[in-house]
Amino acid sequence: MPETTAPATELTSQYIAQVANDLERNVKEQERISAEIASLQEQLAAVQHDHTVLLNVQQALGVTAAPAQSMAEAKSTAVPSPRRKTGAARGGKRAQKSTTAPEKTAPTKPAVKPADAAKETQPTLVELIRRHLLELKEPRSAAEISAALGQAHPERRITTKVVRVTLEGLVAKAQAERTKQGRSVFYTAPTSKPADAPEAEAQSAESDG
């Protein structure tokens, strides 16, 4: 009996050791996969955030109006093509389609007008930033400008990145000025002193005369 029990205990000990090793490998594999999943989720969140920032920049620069115009032009060019084919086929159908054609074009025009009116009532981010710069007496950073605009317009989602990109666009168009103080960057409205100097000289000349 002791000879039979000895091999059995050895086999169980071997199985126990193998199971323990397999468990350790399984746990390490789970940790590795969970770490990869976490890193991928972080990358996905960063890419989604960049996507929203780019969409906000498009809206701020008014780029979204171009696709709408292209779609309207595509519809306008696609409508007359069936008229020619049916008109060449029968003369009676020409009169019917000429009467139905205004019905198709009529609803599209009032549908565009409310959207345009809504866009005109709401100022763009570029206009808000330009007005804010004109009201400032001292240079402000992009974070300070975005915070002020966020308080003034809480219904709009204004981020510091979008404000900074818009400010750089205004600087490129000479509609804003940028100054550096150490590592910080500040923005102000463009100065009009060079343009006013000739007028001041002309006024002084008229007073002397």
Side-chain angles (χ1 to χ4, degrees):
M1 295 299 292
E3 292 180 356
T4 57
T5 55
T9 55
E10 290 178 358
L11 289 173
T12 54
S13 63
Q14 290 178 0
Y15 287 142
I16 291 170
Q18 289 180 359
V19 171
N21 292 329
D22 292 338
L23 285 173
E24 289 180 358
R25 292 177 183 175
N26 193 348
V27 171
K28 290 180 180 179
E29 188 69 14
Q30 289 181 6
E31 291 177 353
R32 183 182 67 80
I33 293 172
S34 62
E36 290 181 357
I37 291 172
S39 63
L40 290 173
Q41 287 179 351
E42 290 179 356
Q43 292 178 3
L44 179 62
V47 171
Q48 289 177 349
H49 180 69
D50 293 338
H51 181 70
T52 55
V53 170
L54 291 173
L55 288 177
N56 291 329
V57 172
Q58 270 191 346
Q59 293 178 358
L61 297 176
V63 182
T64 55
Q69 292 178 357
S70 63
M71 291 295 292
E73 292 175 359
K75 290 181 180 179
S76 63
T77 54
V79 171
S81 57
R83 293 179 185 173
R84 295 177 182 175
K85 293 180 182 179
T86 54
R90 293 179 181 178
K93 291 183 179 179
R94 291 180 183 176
Q96 293 178 357
K97 291 186 177 180
S98 62
T99 56
T100 56
E103 294 179 357
K104 294 181 180 179
T105 55
T108 57
K109 292 181 180 179
V112 175
K113 289 180 180 179
D116 295 337
K119 290 180 181 179
E120 292 177 358
T121 54
Q122 294 181 357
T124 61
L125 183 61
V126 177
E127 294 177 355
L128 292 176
I129 292 175
R130 290 178 63 186
R131 293 175 186 175
H132 186 70
L133 290 176
L134 292 173
E135 294 175 357
L136 293 177
K137 296 181 180 179
E138 296 179 356
R140 299 292 182 185
S141 63
E144 293 174 347
I145 294 172
S146 63
L149 293 176
Q151 292 179 358
H153 302 278
E155 72 280 0
R156 303 182 67 169
R157 295 180 181 178
I158 299 174
T159 60
T160 305
K161 289 184 179 180
V162 177
V163 172
R164 186 179 292 108
V165 172
T166 307
L167 286 168
E168 291 296 331
L170 291 175
V171 171
K173 295 178 181 179
Q175 296 179 0
E177 292 184 357
R178 178 179 57 187
T179 57
K180 287 186 178 180
Q181 296 180 5
R183 294 182 179 179
S184 301
V185 179
F186 297 94
Y187 300 90
T188 55
T191 57
S192 58
K193 291 181 180 179
D196 296 335
E199 294 179 0
E201 292 178 357
Q203 291 178 0
S204 63
E206 289 176 2
S207 62
D208 293 337

